[in-house]
Amino acid sequence: MPVDFKDYYQTLGVKKDATADEIKKAFRALARVHHPDKAKPDDRPAAEAKFKEISEAYDVLGDAEKRTKYDQLGANWNQYGSAGPGQRGGYRRAGGGPQDYDFHFGGTGFSDFFEQFFSGGGGGFDPYGGAGRQRAPARGQDMEAEIMVPLNEAYSGAERTIRLERVNSQTGERQENSYKVRIPAGVKNGQRIRLSGQGERGASAVSGDLYLRVRLAAHPDYQVQDADLIYTLELPAWDAALGASKEIPLPDSKRVRITVPAGARTGSRVRLRGLGLPKKDGKGDIFVEYAVYAPDPQTDEVRQLWEKLRETAE
């Protein structure tokens, strides 16, 4: 099955020689516009799809190693329109059972293109190792796929539906199953969610398991550090100098108001205890980090005010 090439540079609206900062800036701008929380209820499905597309592009271009691999692939992408040897476009292969099946995942948040060329799962996954298969050869092989989890789902928990299509490579017979997957609040990047008995079928009645490896989607405003969240608050110079009252949007769409003290400097922080991601012994914290900037003087009047301030300060 052919795999459609994804032009991630076009998705983010940047040139192929864009710097890492330009790529990050483009992602943040687009993610803020298309974030599902800002969409009307009727427009939310389209916003979620667009946000996942943007997040996938940034996942690749925002990572130096993936970007290099993508650039090398992109020059000859049409050679991979039908997947390479041993792969079928959009499918994950899991051998070792009584029949040879291909697997296609839907609802994980990633495109077929990403899953085939950039996913860490690959063709099946067996946490028991070769020794385990020797002890229980009739057991089906375990499988693994990656699932994109937005920060709001990691923050509050969610339920997702994924689809798994099995295709018998000998007969062409297809079977599709849907599964409800619970995303636990506080889920970590790289954590695996287990769907017992939903992997490859074995020679006996014992099937392997399906593991979904969590990949937290990048957020335009928050960074994740274990259970803590770092929020960058951009402050115009006058708010930093005089102090201000600001609202901070939480990942669950609620808001909290903070007081910025006079004389705030770039890099200084305020701590919001217990508002981070859930963890075993409670919740992490949110750290609001100030980023002070001086807006460009757009009018003569504003420029004169800045000049007067400089003269006064000197």
Side-chain angles (χ1 to χ4, degrees):
M1 178 183 292
V3 177
D4 292 333
F5 178 76
K6 295 290 184 180
D7 190 335
Y8 293 135
Y9 290 103
Q10 185 178 57
T11 299
L12 295 183
V14 297
K15 297 180 180 180
K16 290 186 177 180
D17 60 354
T19 65
D21 286 342
E22 289 172 337
I23 289 172
K24 183 176 181 180
K25 183 177 180 180
F27 162 72
R28 293 181 67 182
L30 288 171
R32 286 169 176 167
V33 171
H34 296 287
H35 199 284
D37 289 346
K38 296 184 178 181
K40 297 179 181 179
D42 291 344
D43 299 332
R44 188 159 294 172
E48 289 177 348
K50 184 65 175 178
F51 184 76
K52 289 176 181 177
E53 182 181 354
I54 294 166
S55 296
E56 178 176 309
Y58 184 66
D59 188 282
V60 173
L61 299 186
D63 181 284
E65 185 177 345
K66 286 197 187 78
R67 184 181 180 183
T68 298
K69 179 180 179 180
Y70 175 74
D71 288 342
Q72 293 172 346
L73 168 68
N76 302 293
W77 71 268
N78 55 342
Q79 297 181 15
Y80 301 89
S82 296
Q87 292 178 302
R88 296 172 177 85
Y91 288 81
R92 300 256 184 102
R93 185 184 180 97
Q99 292 179 310
D100 189 11
Y101 283 92
D102 295 326
F103 300 86
H104 174 72
F105 295 93
T108 62
F110 290 107
S111 68
D112 286 346
F113 177 81
F114 181 94
E115 286 191 350
Q116 177 165 326
F117 292 105
F118 300 101
S119 176
F125 179 80
D126 184 7
Y128 298 98
R133 289 196 298 273
Q134 292 173 7
R135 288 195 301 269
R139 183 185 186 277
Q141 191 174 12
D142 293 337
M143 297 171 55
E144 182 179 84
E146 289 185 316
I147 183 169
M148 182 188 296
V149 177
L151 182 58
N152 64 306
E153 292 186 1
Y155 192 77
S156 303
E159 187 175 79
R160 296 267 292 278
T161 299
I162 69 162
R163 300 181 307 279
L164 173 58
E165 182 183 37
R166 293 177 171 88
V167 182
N168 188 312
S169 59
Q170 298 177 9
T171 67
E173 180 185 358
R174 296 172 181 265
Q175 181 182 4
E176 182 174 308
N177 298 98
S178 295
Y179 307 101
K180 293 289 186 180
V181 179
R182 187 179 68 86
I183 308 295
V187 68
K188 299 291 190 299
N189 195 53
Q191 182 175 331
R192 292 187 300 155
I193 300 173
R194 179 186 179 193
L195 277 67
S196 180
Q198 302 304 326
E200 185 186 8
R201 293 165 183 160
S204 66
V206 182
S207 297
D209 299 328
L210 171 60
Y211 290 86
L212 299 175
R213 185 178 295 277
V214 171
R215 187 188 291 269
L216 292 182
H219 193 279
D221 299 310
Y222 278 104
Q223 297 180 45
V224 180
Q225 293 184 356
D226 295 325
D228 295 332
L229 300 175
I230 313 299
Y231 179 88
T232 300
L233 176 61
E234 297 180 347
L235 288 174
W238 47 81
D239 282 345
L242 302 174
S245 178
K246 296 288 184 179
E247 276 194 342
I248 306 300
L250 302 180
D252 62 357
S253 299
K254 296 178 182 177
R255 307 181 79 86
V256 61
R257 185 170 290 276
I258 68 169
T259 299
V260 178
R265 296 178 179 274
T266 291
S268 57
R269 293 178 170 185
V270 60
R271 184 178 189 176
L272 306 179
R273 294 183 180 275
L275 292 181
L277 293 170
K279 55 182 182 177
K280 289 183 179 180
D281 56 350
K283 284 189 174 183
D285 303 322
I286 290 180
F287 292 89
V288 179
E289 186 172 285
Y290 304 137
V292 182
Y293 68 96
D296 293 333
Q298 299 294 328
T299 65
D300 290 340
E301 182 181 5
V302 173
R303 172 174 286 277
Q304 291 172 6
L305 289 172
W306 278 110
E307 289 177 347
K308 184 176 181 180
L309 176 62
R310 180 168 61 184
E311 292 172 359
T312 302
E314 291 177 346

